[in-house]
Amino acid sequence: TFVCALLFIGVVVVFVAECATLFGCVCGLPDPITAITFVALGTSLPDLFASKTAVEEEDYADAAIGNITGSNSVNVFLGLGLPWVIASVYKSSQGDTYVYPAGSLSFSVIVFLICALLTLSALAINRRMY
């Protein structure tokens, strides 16, 4: 059943990727913007429901903030880092070097880090006040 689940996830990912590409083409959006938007939506909706449940069951929003910050960190750093490592290992096994221009990636990571730090700071200040 695990292999079937992985295959099903792969099929769904291909389907969503094609839909996102077509949607971006129809709306005239560049591929990076469309990809980031659909990936963010797909990875954040489950976290939204988990955070909503955590907030409903606890007095404080610590679990929800931790869930959101942790899952987005994993999405950004593992979701971007793992493919790069795999590509680097593959290229080096063939005697080549893997170079990919950063583009707007550094800006996105910096914005994420700033937002995460601001959110955690606001949570800490809120805890001291109440």
Short mmCIF file of all heavy atoms in Angstrom, two decimals, residues 30-85:
data_model
loop_
_atom_site.label_atom_id
_atom_site.label_comp_id
_atom_site.label_asym_id
_atom_site.label_seq_id
_atom_site.Cartn_x
_atom_site.Cartn_y
_atom_site.Cartn_z
N PRO A 30 4.43 34.21 -15.32
CA PRO A 30 5.68 33.46 -15.54
C PRO A 30 5.66 32.14 -14.77
O PRO A 30 5.02 32.02 -13.73
CB PRO A 30 6.76 34.39 -14.99
CG PRO A 30 6.12 35.71 -14.78
CD PRO A 30 4.66 35.50 -14.68
N ASP A 31 6.38 31.16 -15.28
CA ASP A 31 6.42 29.84 -14.65
C ASP A 31 6.88 29.87 -13.19
O ASP A 31 6.29 29.18 -12.35
CB ASP A 31 7.29 28.87 -15.46
CG ASP A 31 6.59 28.40 -16.71
OD1 ASP A 31 5.34 28.49 -16.77
OD2 ASP A 31 7.29 27.93 -17.64
N PRO A 32 7.93 30.64 -12.82
CA PRO A 32 8.33 30.64 -11.41
C PRO A 32 7.23 31.14 -10.46
O PRO A 32 7.05 30.60 -9.38
CB PRO A 32 9.54 31.58 -11.37
CG PRO A 32 10.08 31.55 -12.75
CD PRO A 32 8.90 31.39 -13.64
N ILE A 33 6.49 32.15 -10.87
CA ILE A 33 5.41 32.68 -10.03
C ILE A 33 4.30 31.64 -9.88
O ILE A 33 3.80 31.39 -8.77
CB ILE A 33 4.84 33.98 -10.62
CG1 ILE A 33 5.92 35.04 -10.74
CG2 ILE A 33 3.65 34.48 -9.82
CD1 ILE A 33 6.54 35.45 -9.43
N THR A 34 3.93 31.01 -10.96
CA THR A 34 2.89 29.98 -10.91
C THR A 34 3.34 28.81 -10.05
O THR A 34 2.58 28.31 -9.23
CB THR A 34 2.55 29.49 -12.33
OG1 THR A 34 2.25 30.61 -13.15
CG2 THR A 34 1.38 28.55 -12.32
N ALA A 35 4.57 28.38 -10.23
CA ALA A 35 5.08 27.24 -9.46
C ALA A 35 5.12 27.54 -7.97
O ALA A 35 4.67 26.73 -7.16
CB ALA A 35 6.48 26.86 -9.96
N ILE A 36 5.63 28.70 -7.61
CA ILE A 36 5.71 29.06 -6.19
C ILE A 36 4.31 29.14 -5.59
O ILE A 36 4.07 28.68 -4.48
CB ILE A 36 6.48 30.39 -6.02
CG1 ILE A 36 7.95 30.18 -6.31
CG2 ILE A 36 6.29 30.96 -4.63
CD1 ILE A 36 8.76 31.43 -6.37
N THR A 37 3.37 29.70 -6.32
CA THR A 37 2.01 29.86 -5.80
C THR A 37 1.34 28.51 -5.56
O THR A 37 0.78 28.26 -4.50
CB THR A 37 1.16 30.69 -6.77
OG1 THR A 37 1.81 31.96 -6.96
CG2 THR A 37 -0.23 30.91 -6.23
N PHE A 38 1.42 27.61 -6.54
CA PHE A 38 0.77 26.31 -6.39
C PHE A 38 1.47 25.43 -5.37
O PHE A 38 0.83 24.69 -4.63
CB PHE A 38 0.66 25.60 -7.74
CG PHE A 38 -0.56 26.01 -8.51
CD1 PHE A 38 -0.50 27.08 -9.39
CD2 PHE A 38 -1.76 25.37 -8.34
CE1 PHE A 38 -1.62 27.48 -10.09
CE2 PHE A 38 -2.89 25.76 -9.03
CZ PHE A 38 -2.83 26.82 -9.91
N VAL A 39 2.80 25.49 -5.32
CA VAL A 39 3.53 24.72 -4.31
C VAL A 39 3.18 25.23 -2.92
O VAL A 39 2.94 24.45 -1.99
CB VAL A 39 5.05 24.77 -4.57
CG1 VAL A 39 5.82 24.25 -3.38
CG2 VAL A 39 5.39 23.96 -5.80
N ALA A 40 3.12 26.55 -2.76
CA ALA A 40 2.78 27.12 -1.46
C ALA A 40 1.37 26.71 -1.05
O ALA A 40 1.12 26.36 0.10
CB ALA A 40 2.90 28.64 -1.51
N LEU A 41 0.46 26.75 -1.98
CA LEU A 41 -0.92 26.35 -1.68
C LEU A 41 -0.99 24.88 -1.30
O LEU A 41 -1.63 24.51 -0.31
CB LEU A 41 -1.82 26.64 -2.89
CG LEU A 41 -3.29 26.29 -2.73
CD1 LEU A 41 -3.92 27.19 -1.68
CD2 LEU A 41 -4.01 26.44 -4.05
N GLY A 42 -0.33 24.04 -2.05
CA GLY A 42 -0.38 22.61 -1.80
C GLY A 42 0.28 22.19 -0.50
O GLY A 42 -0.14 21.23 0.14
N THR A 43 1.32 22.89 -0.11
CA THR A 43 2.00 22.52 1.13
C THR A 43 1.44 23.23 2.35
O THR A 43 1.66 22.77 3.47
CB THR A 43 3.51 22.81 1.04
OG1 THR A 43 3.71 24.21 0.78
CG2 THR A 43 4.17 22.00 -0.05
N SER A 44 0.73 24.31 2.17
CA SER A 44 0.25 25.08 3.31
C SER A 44 -1.18 24.74 3.73
O SER A 44 -1.54 24.96 4.88
CB SER A 44 0.33 26.57 3.01
OG SER A 44 1.68 26.95 2.85
N LEU A 45 -1.99 24.22 2.84
CA LEU A 45 -3.36 23.88 3.22
C LEU A 45 -3.43 22.81 4.32
O LEU A 45 -4.19 22.99 5.28
CB LEU A 45 -4.16 23.45 2.00
CG LEU A 45 -4.73 24.59 1.16
CD1 LEU A 45 -5.49 24.04 -0.04
CD2 LEU A 45 -5.61 25.50 1.97
N PRO A 46 -2.67 21.73 4.24
CA PRO A 46 -2.71 20.78 5.36
C PRO A 46 -2.25 21.40 6.67
O PRO A 46 -2.79 21.11 7.74
CB PRO A 46 -1.77 19.66 4.93
CG PRO A 46 -1.70 19.76 3.45
CD PRO A 46 -1.87 21.21 3.13
N ASP A 47 -1.25 22.29 6.60
CA ASP A 47 -0.78 22.96 7.80
C ASP A 47 -1.84 23.90 8.37
O ASP A 47 -1.93 24.08 9.58
CB ASP A 47 0.49 23.75 7.50
CG ASP A 47 1.62 22.85 7.07
OD1 ASP A 47 1.65 21.69 7.54
OD2 ASP A 47 2.45 23.28 6.26
N LEU A 48 -2.63 24.50 7.51
CA LEU A 48 -3.71 25.36 7.96
C LEU A 48 -4.71 24.58 8.81
O LEU A 48 -5.10 25.01 9.89
CB LEU A 48 -4.43 25.98 6.76
CG LEU A 48 -5.71 26.76 7.07
CD1 LEU A 48 -5.40 28.02 7.84
CD2 LEU A 48 -6.45 27.06 5.79
N PHE A 49 -5.09 23.41 8.34
CA PHE A 49 -6.06 22.60 9.09
C PHE A 49 -5.45 22.08 10.39
O PHE A 49 -6.13 22.03 11.42
CB PHE A 49 -6.58 21.46 8.22
CG PHE A 49 -7.37 21.95 7.04
CD1 PHE A 49 -7.00 21.62 5.76
CD2 PHE A 49 -8.48 22.76 7.22
CE1 PHE A 49 -7.72 22.08 4.67
CE2 PHE A 49 -9.21 23.23 6.14
CZ PHE A 49 -8.83 22.88 4.86
N ALA A 50 -4.18 21.69 10.37
CA ALA A 50 -3.53 21.23 11.60
C ALA A 50 -3.41 22.37 12.61
O ALA A 50 -3.64 22.17 13.81
CB ALA A 50 -2.15 20.66 11.28
N SER A 51 -3.08 23.56 12.14
CA SER A 51 -2.97 24.71 13.03
C SER A 51 -4.32 25.11 13.58
O SER A 51 -4.44 25.49 14.76
CB SER A 51 -2.32 25.88 12.31
OG SER A 51 -1.02 25.55 11.91
N LYS A 52 -5.34 25.04 12.77
CA LYS A 52 -6.69 25.37 13.22
C LYS A 52 -7.11 24.42 14.34
O LYS A 52 -7.66 24.84 15.36
CB LYS A 52 -7.67 25.28 12.05
CG LYS A 52 -9.11 25.60 12.42
CD LYS A 52 -10.00 25.48 11.19
CE LYS A 52 -11.43 25.75 11.52
NZ LYS A 52 -12.09 24.65 12.17
N THR A 53 -6.84 23.15 14.18
CA THR A 53 -7.16 22.16 15.22
C THR A 53 -6.36 22.44 16.49
O THR A 53 -6.91 22.36 17.60
CB THR A 53 -6.86 20.74 14.71
OG1 THR A 53 -7.59 20.52 13.51
CG2 THR A 53 -7.23 19.70 15.73
N ALA A 54 -5.09 22.77 16.34
CA ALA A 54 -4.25 23.05 17.51
C ALA A 54 -4.76 24.28 18.27
O ALA A 54 -4.76 24.30 19.50
CB ALA A 54 -2.80 23.25 17.09
N VAL A 55 -5.20 25.30 17.56
CA VAL A 55 -5.69 26.52 18.21
C VAL A 55 -7.01 26.25 18.93
O VAL A 55 -7.25 26.76 20.02
CB VAL A 55 -5.85 27.65 17.17
CG1 VAL A 55 -6.65 28.81 17.72
CG2 VAL A 55 -4.49 28.12 16.71
N GLU A 56 -7.85 25.43 18.33
CA GLU A 56 -9.13 25.12 18.95
C GLU A 56 -8.98 24.29 20.22
O GLU A 56 -9.80 24.41 21.14
CB GLU A 56 -10.03 24.35 17.97
CG GLU A 56 -10.52 25.20 16.83
CD GLU A 56 -11.29 24.42 15.78
OE1 GLU A 56 -11.26 23.17 15.81
OE2 GLU A 56 -11.90 25.07 14.93
N GLU A 57 -7.93 23.50 20.32
CA GLU A 57 -7.76 22.61 21.46
C GLU A 57 -6.89 23.18 22.57
O GLU A 57 -6.84 22.62 23.66
CB GLU A 57 -7.19 21.27 20.99
CG GLU A 57 -8.14 20.50 20.10
CD GLU A 57 -7.56 19.21 19.60
OE1 GLU A 57 -6.41 18.89 19.95
OE2 GLU A 57 -8.26 18.51 18.85
N GLU A 58 -6.17 24.28 22.34
CA GLU A 58 -5.27 24.84 23.34
C GLU A 58 -5.62 26.29 23.65
O GLU A 58 -6.29 26.96 22.87
CB GLU A 58 -3.82 24.77 22.85
CG GLU A 58 -3.29 23.36 22.75
CD GLU A 58 -1.81 23.35 22.41
OE1 GLU A 58 -1.16 24.39 22.55
OE2 GLU A 58 -1.32 22.28 22.01
N ASP A 59 -5.14 26.75 24.80
CA ASP A 59 -5.39 28.13 25.21
C ASP A 59 -4.50 29.12 24.46
O ASP A 59 -4.88 30.26 24.24
CB ASP A 59 -5.16 28.29 26.71
CG ASP A 59 -6.18 27.52 27.52
OD1 ASP A 59 -7.29 27.30 27.01
OD2 ASP A 59 -5.86 27.14 28.66
N TYR A 60 -3.31 28.68 24.11
CA TYR A 60 -2.36 29.56 23.42
C TYR A 60 -2.11 29.05 22.01
O TYR A 60 -2.34 27.89 21.71
CB TYR A 60 -1.04 29.62 24.19
CG TYR A 60 -1.21 30.16 25.59
CD1 TYR A 60 -1.22 29.31 26.68
CD2 TYR A 60 -1.38 31.52 25.81
CE1 TYR A 60 -1.37 29.80 27.96
CE2 TYR A 60 -1.55 32.02 27.08
CZ TYR A 60 -1.55 31.15 28.15
OH TYR A 60 -1.72 31.63 29.41
N ALA A 61 -1.60 29.92 21.18
CA ALA A 61 -1.37 29.57 19.77
C ALA A 61 0.04 29.07 19.52
O ALA A 61 0.49 29.04 18.39
CB ALA A 61 -1.64 30.79 18.90
N ASP A 62 0.74 28.65 20.57
CA ASP A 62 2.13 28.22 20.41
C ASP A 62 2.26 27.05 19.45
O ASP A 62 3.14 27.02 18.59
CB ASP A 62 2.73 27.82 21.75
CG ASP A 62 2.90 29.00 22.68
OD1 ASP A 62 2.63 30.13 22.24
OD2 ASP A 62 3.31 28.79 23.83
N ALA A 63 1.38 26.06 19.57
CA ALA A 63 1.47 24.89 18.71
C ALA A 63 1.22 25.27 17.25
O ALA A 63 1.87 24.75 16.34
CB ALA A 63 0.48 23.82 19.17
N ALA A 64 0.27 26.16 17.03
CA ALA A 64 -0.03 26.58 15.66
C ALA A 64 1.14 27.34 15.05
O ALA A 64 1.51 27.09 13.90
CB ALA A 64 -1.29 27.43 15.63
N ILE A 65 1.71 28.26 15.80
CA ILE A 65 2.85 29.03 15.29
C ILE A 65 4.04 28.11 15.05
O ILE A 65 4.73 28.21 14.02
CB ILE A 65 3.24 30.16 16.27
CG1 ILE A 65 2.09 31.14 16.45
CG2 ILE A 65 4.50 30.87 15.82
CD1 ILE A 65 1.71 31.90 15.20
N GLY A 66 4.29 27.19 15.98
CA GLY A 66 5.38 26.24 15.79
C GLY A 66 5.16 25.35 14.59
O GLY A 66 6.09 25.05 13.84
N ASN A 67 3.93 24.91 14.39
CA ASN A 67 3.60 24.06 13.24
C ASN A 67 3.83 24.81 11.93
O ASN A 67 4.45 24.28 11.00
CB ASN A 67 2.15 23.59 13.34
CG ASN A 67 1.76 22.71 12.18
OD1 ASN A 67 2.56 21.95 11.68
ND2 ASN A 67 0.52 22.82 11.77
N ILE A 68 3.34 26.02 11.86
CA ILE A 68 3.49 26.80 10.62
C ILE A 68 4.95 27.11 10.34
O ILE A 68 5.44 26.92 9.22
CB ILE A 68 2.66 28.10 10.71
CG1 ILE A 68 1.18 27.76 10.69
CG2 ILE A 68 3.01 29.05 9.59
CD1 ILE A 68 0.28 28.91 11.06
N THR A 69 5.66 27.59 11.37
CA THR A 69 7.07 27.94 11.17
C THR A 69 7.91 26.71 10.81
O THR A 69 8.72 26.75 9.90
CB THR A 69 7.63 28.61 12.44
OG1 THR A 69 6.80 29.70 12.79
CG2 THR A 69 9.04 29.09 12.23
N GLY A 70 7.67 25.61 11.52
CA GLY A 70 8.44 24.40 11.25
C GLY A 70 8.16 23.82 9.88
O GLY A 70 9.08 23.44 9.16
N SER A 71 6.89 23.76 9.50
CA SER A 71 6.58 23.16 8.20
C SER A 71 7.08 24.03 7.06
O SER A 71 7.55 23.52 6.04
CB SER A 71 5.08 22.91 8.07
OG SER A 71 4.38 24.11 7.95
N ASN A 72 6.98 25.34 7.21
CA ASN A 72 7.50 26.21 6.15
C ASN A 72 9.02 26.15 6.07
O ASN A 72 9.58 26.24 4.98
CB ASN A 72 7.02 27.65 6.35
CG ASN A 72 5.58 27.82 5.94
OD1 ASN A 72 5.11 27.15 5.04
ND2 ASN A 72 4.88 28.71 6.60
N SER A 73 9.68 25.99 7.22
CA SER A 73 11.14 25.81 7.19
C SER A 73 11.51 24.55 6.44
O SER A 73 12.43 24.55 5.61
CB SER A 73 11.69 25.74 8.62
OG SER A 73 11.43 26.91 9.32
N VAL A 74 10.80 23.47 6.73
CA VAL A 74 11.07 22.21 6.02
C VAL A 74 10.78 22.38 4.53
O VAL A 74 11.56 21.93 3.69
CB VAL A 74 10.23 21.06 6.63
CG1 VAL A 74 10.28 19.82 5.75
CG2 VAL A 74 10.74 20.73 8.02
N ASN A 75 9.68 23.04 4.20
CA ASN A 75 9.34 23.23 2.79
C ASN A 75 10.42 24.02 2.07
O ASN A 75 10.82 23.67 0.95
CB ASN A 75 8.01 23.98 2.65
CG ASN A 75 6.83 23.14 3.07
OD1 ASN A 75 6.92 21.93 3.15
ND2 ASN A 75 5.73 23.80 3.34
N VAL A 76 10.90 25.08 2.70
CA VAL A 76 11.89 25.93 2.04
C VAL A 76 13.25 25.24 1.97
O VAL A 76 13.85 25.11 0.90
CB VAL A 76 12.01 27.29 2.75
CG1 VAL A 76 13.21 28.08 2.25
CG2 VAL A 76 10.74 28.10 2.55
N PHE A 77 13.74 24.78 3.12
CA PHE A 77 15.11 24.31 3.15
C PHE A 77 15.28 22.88 2.65
O PHE A 77 16.23 22.57 1.96
CB PHE A 77 15.68 24.48 4.56
CG PHE A 77 15.74 25.91 4.99
CD1 PHE A 77 14.99 26.37 6.04
CD2 PHE A 77 16.52 26.81 4.29
CE1 PHE A 77 15.03 27.70 6.42
CE2 PHE A 77 16.56 28.15 4.65
CZ PHE A 77 15.82 28.59 5.71
N LEU A 78 14.33 22.00 2.96
CA LEU A 78 14.43 20.63 2.46
C LEU A 78 13.92 20.55 1.04
O LEU A 78 14.51 19.88 0.19
CB LEU A 78 13.64 19.68 3.37
CG LEU A 78 13.77 18.19 3.06
CD1 LEU A 78 15.21 17.74 3.28
CD2 LEU A 78 12.84 17.39 3.94
N GLY A 79 12.83 21.25 0.75
CA GLY A 79 12.24 21.22 -0.59
C GLY A 79 13.15 21.84 -1.64
O GLY A 79 13.10 21.47 -2.81
N LEU A 80 13.96 22.78 -1.26
CA LEU A 80 14.91 23.37 -2.19
C LEU A 80 16.28 22.72 -2.11
O LEU A 80 16.98 22.59 -3.12
CB LEU A 80 15.04 24.88 -1.94
CG LEU A 80 13.79 25.70 -2.18
CD1 LEU A 80 14.03 27.14 -1.76
CD2 LEU A 80 13.39 25.64 -3.63
N GLY A 81 16.67 22.32 -0.91
CA GLY A 81 18.01 21.76 -0.72
C GLY A 81 18.17 20.35 -1.23
O GLY A 81 19.20 20.01 -1.83
N LEU A 82 17.17 19.51 -1.00
CA LEU A 82 17.28 18.11 -1.39
C LEU A 82 17.42 17.93 -2.91
O LEU A 82 18.31 17.20 -3.36
CB LEU A 82 16.10 17.31 -0.84
CG LEU A 82 16.17 15.81 -1.02
CD1 LEU A 82 17.40 15.24 -0.31
CD2 LEU A 82 14.90 15.16 -0.49
N PRO A 83 16.60 18.59 -3.73
CA PRO A 83 16.80 18.45 -5.18
C PRO A 83 18.18 18.95 -5.64
O PRO A 83 18.79 18.37 -6.54
CB PRO A 83 15.68 19.30 -5.79
CG PRO A 83 14.64 19.36 -4.75
CD PRO A 83 15.37 19.33 -3.45
N TRP A 84 18.67 20.00 -5.00
CA TRP A 84 19.99 20.51 -5.36
C TRP A 84 21.06 19.49 -5.02
O TRP A 84 21.99 19.26 -5.81
CB TRP A 84 20.25 21.83 -4.64
CG TRP A 84 21.57 22.43 -5.01
CD1 TRP A 84 21.85 23.19 -6.09
CD2 TRP A 84 22.80 22.25 -4.30
NE1 TRP A 84 23.18 23.53 -6.10
CE2 TRP A 84 23.78 22.95 -5.01
CE3 TRP A 84 23.15 21.57 -3.15
CZ2 TRP A 84 25.10 22.99 -4.59
CZ3 TRP A 84 24.47 21.61 -2.73
CH2 TRP A 84 25.42 22.32 -3.45
N VAL A 85 20.97 18.87 -3.84
CA VAL A 85 21.96 17.86 -3.45
C VAL A 85 21.91 16.67 -4.40
O VAL A 85 22.95 16.16 -4.84
CB VAL A 85 21.72 17.41 -1.99
CG1 VAL A 85 22.53 16.18 -1.64
CG2 VAL A 85 22.06 18.54 -1.03
#
